[in-house]
Amino acid sequence: MALKFRCYVMVFVVAVLVGFSTGKRAPGDTRPNFVIYVPDETRAESIGVYGHPFVKTPNLDALAANGTVFKEAHVLHTQCAPSRCAMITGRYMHVLGHRTQTHLVREYEPNFFRYLKEAGYHVTWHGKNDMLSQAAFPLSVSNWTMDGGISMAKGPFTYGEPGYYSFLAGKSDKFGNDSEANGDYRAVLKGLEFMKNDPPEPFVVFLPGKGSHPNYGAPADYYDMYSPEQVAKEAPLRPPNVVNKPKYHDGIIKYRQLETLNQSIFNKINSIYLGRVSYVDWMLGQLVSGIDALPDIAKNTAIFVTSDHGDFSGDYHLVEKWPGGLDDILTRVPLIGRIPGGVKGNVVDAPVNVFDLFYTLTDMAKCRLTSRTYTLLAVCCHS
């Protein structure tokens, strides 16, 4: 209740201090709009264009075919808030202490939303916030709604029972296109509604959803999209007790009371996780097709898709993630960009970091920074 109250207070503060901008693009201003789609906990290898053998992600694949896909994009931290703080500040977490879920970006810290807003961008945000402190929020965001979540049912395990912390959940009785039951989809629709109604330009539409984050449940049409048997046969999970892995691998199994669970449970977890990835992909398809149906918007809007980190999702008999974990399934995430005038079908195999987005966006927006590091703009524009 206290958290919900603080969220309502923050919405009020943003609305009162910032208001809802109705400014139009100045003559000669050719800077692009930005749509940034960040589904939580979505690992790269569980996406078709990144090599998964059977998962259906036609919209992510199509976005890559019409833009640039970075095959080795990695995050700096494998927990939500530290990773996202690094992404929007362009700084390592330890620089200003963003090592925990609660130490968020302060009002005195640079972040790309604030740079863009101060450069004349209208920043609209629909989804979760685990990046900006209350004082930083109105300085960085023009308007916000806290939409997010995925419908699912209770799982088979009760509290105290081994398996409860597998986070295995059940099939929702709601479908993925139900925006009342699925806050992530509602956020996408709100972003599209904003763009359809003569929006102030240039703008940023930021959509940080629950994405593929546990619990491992899904809407009715995505829960059984893939079977545990298909996982076992076509994309077998990594086994537990691997030699030379960090001790926390064994520690998680004991801490989460997962020792008694058999392989079929972990295959089930992974099959549901893949269903969630396909749901993330479907929502992206609704977003991109909605933008493309607005030619005046589409011709000047850059779209970026990434995530804050991956998920074990049954590999090694592990679930969720681990702070500071360095397995590729946790650090390697999708990073796909389609920008106005950019090349199509561009594949970048060189490693990049998600916090390169800070410099890329501020470069495209012609923000004046005191320093720059690596920007992804050159490889998005040239093959």
Side-chain angles (χ1 to χ4, degrees):
M1 179 63 71
L3 177 60
K4 185 178 290 186
F5 176 74
R6 286 198 296 273
C7 291
Y8 290 150
V9 169
M10 191 179 293
V11 172
F12 176 76
V13 169
V14 171
V16 170
L17 294 184
V18 182
F20 296 90
S21 170
T22 57
K24 300 306 295 180
R25 187 185 293 272
D29 185 356
T30 60
R31 295 175 299 166
N33 305 310
F34 298 113
V35 174
I36 309 167
Y37 181 59
V38 185
D40 204 339
E41 209 142 330
T42 302
R43 69 191 204 184
E45 72 169 53
S46 296
I47 296 169
V49 71
Y50 285 91
H52 196 277
F54 63 79
V55 72
K56 298 173 184 176
T57 53
N59 299 294
L60 284 158
D61 302 349
L63 190 68
N66 286 288
T68 296
V69 57
F70 296 88
K71 286 298 188 81
E72 289 292 336
H74 292 263
V75 297
L76 287 169
H77 199 283
T78 51
Q79 240 184 340
C80 302
S83 177
R84 290 169 183 250
C85 288
M87 177 182 75
I88 68 169
T89 62
R91 296 180 174 187
Y92 291 96
M93 303 78 57
H94 60 266
V95 172
L96 286 168
H98 298 295
R99 296 186 176 94
T100 70
Q101 295 283 66
T102 56
H103 188 75
L104 306 182
V105 173
R106 300 310 199 247
E107 68 276 12
Y108 51 81
E109 296 180 68
N111 73 81
F112 66 62
F113 293 114
R114 183 169 180 177
Y115 273 120
L116 294 172
K117 186 171 184 290
E118 291 177 347
Y121 276 76
H122 179 96
V123 180
T124 187
W125 176 324
H126 302 291
K128 60 186 288 188
N129 171 41
D130 47 12
M131 288 179 279
L132 295 176
S133 66
Q134 184 168 335
F137 217 95
L139 300 173
S140 308
V141 180
S142 306
N143 66 281
W144 172 50
T145 65
M146 194 179 67
D147 294 283
I150 307 293
S151 61
M152 61 186 70
K154 287 185 178 180
F157 303 107
T158 58
Y159 180 74
E161 181 183 4
Y164 179 79
Y165 287 110
S166 70
F167 303 110
L168 181 59
K171 180 196 295 188
S172 174
D173 61 354
K174 307 295 184 183
F175 287 86
N177 63 0
D178 185 335
S179 61
E180 291 298 317
N182 296 287
D184 278 21
Y185 182 42
R186 186 167 61 250
V188 167
L189 293 179
K190 286 187 176 181
L192 287 172
E193 190 66 20
F194 166 79
M195 288 183 273
K196 289 176 182 176
N197 286 284
D198 194 25
E201 293 187 72
F203 62 73
V204 179
V205 173
F206 183 54
L207 301 170
K210 184 169 183 178
S212 311
H213 194 294
N215 292 355
Y216 301 104
D221 42 344
Y222 290 91
Y223 190 85
D224 296 316
M225 178 172 280
Y226 311 105
S227 70
E229 293 75 22
Q230 189 176 16
V231 169
K233 182 179 179 181
E234 299 181 45
L237 299 178
R238 298 165 176 89
N241 307 313
V242 177
V243 177
N244 295 328
K245 279 293 182 182
K247 290 184 178 179
Y248 68 73
H249 272 230
D250 292 333
I252 295 172
I253 292 175
K254 293 183 175 67
Y255 172 68
R256 297 289 191 198
Q257 296 182 289
L258 306 176
E259 304 102 315
T260 61
L261 303 186
N262 60 38
Q263 184 64 41
S264 65
I265 294 291
F266 295 103
N267 291 341
K268 179 70 172 175
I269 286 169
N270 192 260
S271 70
I272 299 167
Y273 178 82
L274 294 175
R276 286 278 291 279
V277 172
S278 287
Y279 183 43
V280 162
D281 178 82
W282 178 81
M283 288 186 284
L284 174 66
Q286 300 302 298
L287 177 64
V288 174
S289 63
I291 293 170
D292 289 343
L294 305 168
D296 288 341
I297 295 293
K299 68 183 181 184
N300 201 32
T301 296
I303 302 172
F304 289 97
V305 178
T306 190
S307 187
D308 53 358
H309 53 78
D311 188 284
F312 284 118
S313 65
D315 272 311
Y316 306 116
H317 284 194
L318 302 178
V319 295
E320 210 187 19
K321 67 269 188 181
W322 189 255
L326 294 177
D327 295 274
D328 266 18
I329 51 179
L330 299 185
T331 68
R332 184 169 170 250
V333 296
L335 180 56
I336 304 172
R338 190 189 85 176
I339 69 173
V343 294
K344 295 183 178 182
N346 194 21
V347 178
V348 178
D349 293 314
V352 299
N353 205 294
V354 170
F355 82 165
D356 295 328
L357 276 175
F358 174 93
Y359 301 98
T360 302
L361 298 177
T362 53
D363 188 17
M364 294 175 73
K366 298 180 171 58
C367 296
R368 300 184 65 180
L369 306 185
T370 56
S371 64
R372 286 194 187 279
T373 59
Y374 185 64
T375 173
L376 306 174
L377 182 57
V379 290
C380 285
C381 290
H382 306 288
S383 59

